[in-house]
C-alpha cells in the first residue's frame, strides 16, 4: 500500500526546496558553482538541515539534504544563463541575514519566511531599461576601442554599433530566442552598423579613410567574461564538471560571435588587422587609458545589472589594475605575466572593498577583469582559422588562452590569500 510522508519528512522537503531555489536563482544570475553550493548550504543549515550536499554544473543542480535519518534528493535545471549582479547581491544579503538571525535567536528559519524573501528577490525587475542597458554597452565598447588603439572615428562608430547590437541582443533574448543564434545576429548587426557608419562618413568626405580596423571592438559586448572567469575559478577548485561546462559555454558564445565577424569580414573584404598605436605623449596616453579603463569597467558592470555603488567600486578597481597592466606591457613584461599581476591586484582590492559595501566579491572582481579579457585577439584567432591561415590562428589563439589562464590564476591566488575557506573543503 502507498505510504504517506510524515510531518518531519514533509518539513524536510519544504526546507530542501527553499535551499534549492536559492541555488537556482544564484545559478541563473551567473555566479560560479562554489558560490551556489555555499549559499545553499548556509541557508539549509540556518533552516535546521544537518548536512547539505550539491553537484552543480552550468545549467543543472543536484542536491541532497540530510536531517536525522531522513534525506531528500532533488534535481533542478536552469535553462536561462545570464548575468544579474543585483540579484546576486540581494541573495547574498538575504542568506547572511537568515544565518545571523537564526544564530542570534537560536530558532531555525522557516521555509515560508525564506520563500517570501526569495519571492521578493525574484520579482525585482532589472535596474535599467533596455535603452540604458544599450547605452552601458556603448560606453564599455567605446572605451575598449580606445584601449585597442582606436581614434575618435573608431570610438564614435563603436559607440553607435555596440549600442544597437546590445539592444537587438537583449530584445531577442527576452523573447526566448536561442542564445547562440542571437549572439551571431547581434555581432552581425554591430559590425554592419559600424562599417555602414564609417563608410557613410567617408563617402560624405567627413573622413579621409574608412577606419575599418575598429569594427572588431564593436562586438566586444559579447565577450562571455563572467563565464570565462568563473569557469576557470571552478577548475581551480577541482570542480571539473562546472568549470568545463562554463568554459565550453563561453567558447561557444565566443565562437558564435567570431564566426559572425568573419562572415561580415568576408562579405565586405576586410581583415581584423591591428591598428597602429596612437601618437600621444606618455602623460596624456596614461590619463586617457585611466579614463577609458574606468568607463569600460563601469559600462560592463552596469550592463551586468550592477547597482551604482557596486559598479563604481568595480570601475575604480579595474582602472588601477588595467593601467598597471598596460604599463607593465609597455615596459616589456610578457602579456600573460602582466595579466596575472593585474588580476591579483583586482582580487586583493575586491577582497578589501566588497565586504565594506556588502556585495559578493565576484560582482566587483569579474567586471574589473572583463576589460582585460583578450576579446579582439580571440576574434582574430577564429577569423584566421576560418580563412585557413592556421599559423596566424594558432598564434592569436595561444595568446588569448594564456591571458585568460593568467587572469584566472591571479584571481585564484588572491582568493586563496584572503579567504581561508576557499582553498579547503569545509
Amino acid at each position: 500500500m502507498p505510504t504517506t510522508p510524515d510531518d518531519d519528512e514533509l518539513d524536510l522537503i519544504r526546507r530542501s526546496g527553499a535551499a534549492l531555489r536559492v541555488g537556482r536563482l544564484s545559478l541563473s544570475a551567473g555566479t560560479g558553482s562554489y558560490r551556489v553550493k555555499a549559499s545553499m548550504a548556509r541557508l539549509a543549515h540556518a533552516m535546521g538541515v544537518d548536512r547539505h550536499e550539491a553537484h552543480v554544473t552550468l545549467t543543472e543542480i543536484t542536491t541532497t539534504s540530510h536531517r536525522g535519518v531522513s534525506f531528500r534528493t532533488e534535481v533542478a535545471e536552469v535553462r536561462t544563463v545570464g548575468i544579474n549582479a543585483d540579484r546576486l547581491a540581494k541573495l547574498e544579503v538575504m542568506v547572511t541575514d537568515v544565518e545571523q538571525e537564526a544564530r542570534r535567536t537560536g530558532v531555525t528559519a522557516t521555509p515560508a519566511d525564506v520563500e517570501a524573501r526569495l519571492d521578493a528577490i525574484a520579482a525585482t525587475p532589472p535596474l535599467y531599461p533596455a535603452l540604458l542597458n544599450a547605452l552601458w554597452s556603448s560606453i564599455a565598447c567605446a572605451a575598449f576601442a580606445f584601449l585597442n588603439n582606436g581614434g575618435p572615428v573608431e570610438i564614435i562608430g563603436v559607440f553607435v554599433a555596440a549600442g544597437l547590437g546590445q539592444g537587438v541582443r537583449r530584445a531577442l533574448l527576452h523573447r526566448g530566442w536561442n542564445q547562440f543564434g542571437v549572439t551571431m545576429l547581434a555581432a552581425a548587426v554591430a559590425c554592419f552598423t559600424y562599417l555602414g557608419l564609417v563608410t557613410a562618413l567617408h563617402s560624405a568626405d567627413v573622413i579621409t579613410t574608412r577606419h575599418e580596423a575598429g569594427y572588431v571592438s564593436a562586438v566586444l559586448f559579447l565577450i562571455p567574461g563572467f563565464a570565462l572567469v568563473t569557469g576557470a575559478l571552478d577548475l581551480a577548485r577541482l570542480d571539473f564538471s562546472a568549470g568545463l561546462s562554463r568554459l565550453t559555454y563561453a567558447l561557444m558564445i565566443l565562437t558564435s560571435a567570431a564566426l559572425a565577424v568573419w562572415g561580415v569580414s568576408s562579405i565586405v573584404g576586410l581583415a581584423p588587422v591591428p591598428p597602429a598605436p596612437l601618437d600621444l605623449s606618455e602623460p596624456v596616453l596614461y590619463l586617457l587609458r585611466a579614463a577609458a579603463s574606468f568607463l569600460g569597467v563601469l559600462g560592463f558592470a552596469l550592463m551586468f545589472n550592477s547597482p551604482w555603488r557596486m559598479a563604481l567600486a568595480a570601475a575604480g578597481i579595474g582602472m588601477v589594475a588595467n593601467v598597471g597592466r598596460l604599463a607593465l606591457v609597455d615596459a616589456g613584461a610578457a602579456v600573460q605575466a602582466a595579466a596575472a599581476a593585474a588580476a591579483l591586484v583586482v582580487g586583493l582590492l575586491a577582497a578589501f572593498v566588497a565586504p565594506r559595501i556588502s556585495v559578493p566579491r565576484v560582482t566587483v572582481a569579474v567586471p574589473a577583469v572583463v576589460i582585460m579579457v583578450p576579446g579582439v585577439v580571440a576574434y582574430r584567432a577564429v577569423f584566421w582559422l576560418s580563412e585557413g591561415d592556421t599559423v596566424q590562428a594558432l598564434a592569436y589563439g595561444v595568446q588569448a588562452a594564456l591571458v585568460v589562464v593568467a587572469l584566472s590564476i591571479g584571481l585564484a591566488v588572491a582568493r586563496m590569500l584572503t579567504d581561508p575557506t576557499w582553498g579547503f573543503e569545509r
Side-chain angles (χ1 to χ4, degrees):
M1 294 181 63
T3 59
T4 302
D6 59 26
D7 290 342
D8 286 342
E9 290 174 340
L10 288 174
D11 188 57
L12 178 60
I13 289 172
R14 287 191 288 267
R15 294 173 192 272
S16 175
L20 178 58
R21 189 179 178 195
V22 168
R24 290 171 57 196
L25 289 173
S26 298
L27 191 61
S28 66
T31 195
S33 68
Y34 163 71
R35 180 55 56 193
V36 175
K37 293 177 182 178
S39 296
M40 288 191 295
R42 290 167 57 199
L43 188 64
H45 293 155
M47 290 189 295
V49 174
D50 295 337
R51 191 170 82 254
H52 187 276
E53 298 167 341
H55 175 76
V56 180
T57 66
L58 177 67
T59 58
E60 296 176 342
I61 304 176
T62 303
T63 66
T64 300
S65 300
H66 298 261
R67 191 169 66 174
V69 297
S70 300
F71 68 91
R72 167 78 171 177
T73 297
E74 296 182 83
V75 179
E77 188 175 29
V78 178
R79 301 307 306 171
T80 303
V81 180
I83 310 298
N84 189 334
D86 182 53
R87 175 174 290 180
L88 291 178
K90 283 182 167 58
L91 288 171
E92 178 70 16
V93 170
M94 187 276 291
V95 171
T96 301
D97 286 347
V98 171
E99 251 188 338
Q100 292 177 347
E101 186 175 339
R103 192 177 298 119
R104 185 179 64 254
T105 62
V107 179
T108 59
T110 64
D113 177 53
V114 171
E115 289 285 359
R117 297 184 189 217
L118 292 177
D119 287 340
I121 293 174
T124 303
L127 296 176
Y128 314 106
L131 188 61
L132 277 181
N133 185 260
L135 177 62
W136 307 145
S137 172
S138 296
I139 292 172
C141 290
F144 248 129
F146 174 79
L147 294 172
N148 289 320
N149 297 323
V153 174
E154 286 84 1
I155 292 172
I156 293 171
V158 167
F159 183 90
V160 175
L164 185 58
Q166 174 62 11
V168 170
R169 178 197 190 195
R170 173 166 166 149
L172 296 181
L173 286 178
H174 282 200
R175 285 167 173 77
W177 285 38
N178 179 272
Q179 197 163 133
F180 302 112
V182 169
T183 298
M184 297 181 73
L185 183 58
V189 167
C191 284
F192 276 124
T193 300
Y194 176 87
L195 294 172
L197 180 61
V198 297
T199 299
L201 293 174
H202 181 259
S203 300
D205 294 327
V206 177
I207 55 177
T208 56
T209 59
R210 290 180 65 189
H211 295 269
E212 296 160 340
Y215 77 99
V216 179
S217 296
V219 299
L220 294 182
F221 64 93
L222 296 168
I223 291 176
F226 247 90
L228 282 171
V229 174
T230 56
L233 290 176
D234 284 338
L235 289 180
R237 286 186 55 83
L238 302 181
D239 192 343
F240 293 106
S241 58
L244 290 176
S245 62
R246 285 181 182 279
L247 292 181
T248 301
Y249 164 77
L251 182 61
M252 290 179 68
I253 290 290
L254 197 59
T255 303
S256 298
L259 287 175
V261 172
W262 168 77
V264 173
S265 303
S266 300
I267 291 172
V268 299
L270 296 176
V273 179
L278 298 172
D279 186 17
L280 298 171
S281 65
E282 191 168 287
V284 173
L285 177 62
Y286 277 96
L287 183 62
L288 291 177
R289 280 178 172 177
S293 298
F294 183 89
L295 290 174
V297 176
L298 181 67
F300 274 119
L302 293 173
M303 197 172 72
F304 295 152
N305 200 46
S306 298
W308 273 96
R309 65 172 182 169
M310 186 190 298
L312 290 171
I317 292 171
M319 177 185 68
V320 171
N322 195 50
V323 171
R325 176 183 71 90
L326 295 173
L328 288 175
V329 173
D330 290 345
V335 177
Q336 59 269 26
L344 177 62
V345 170
V346 168
L348 295 175
L349 290 177
F352 177 79
V353 172
R356 285 159 178 77
I357 58 175
S358 301
V359 300
R361 191 183 310 189
V362 67
T363 59
V364 175
V366 174
V369 167
V370 165
I371 200 168
M372 306 177 200
V373 174
V376 171
V377 177
Y379 286 136
R380 288 175 184 148
V382 177
F383 173 87
W384 290 116
L385 184 64
S386 301
E387 289 289 302
D389 192 335
T390 309
V391 175
Q392 282 271 48
L394 187 61
Y396 282 122
V398 170
Q399 181 183 344
L402 286 175
V403 172
V404 171
V405 170
L407 292 173
S408 304
I409 290 173
L411 287 177
V413 171
R415 194 73 190 234
M416 293 174 190
L417 293 174
T418 58
D419 185 355
T421 68
W422 196 83
F424 304 94
E425 294 297 332
R426 285 184 287 179

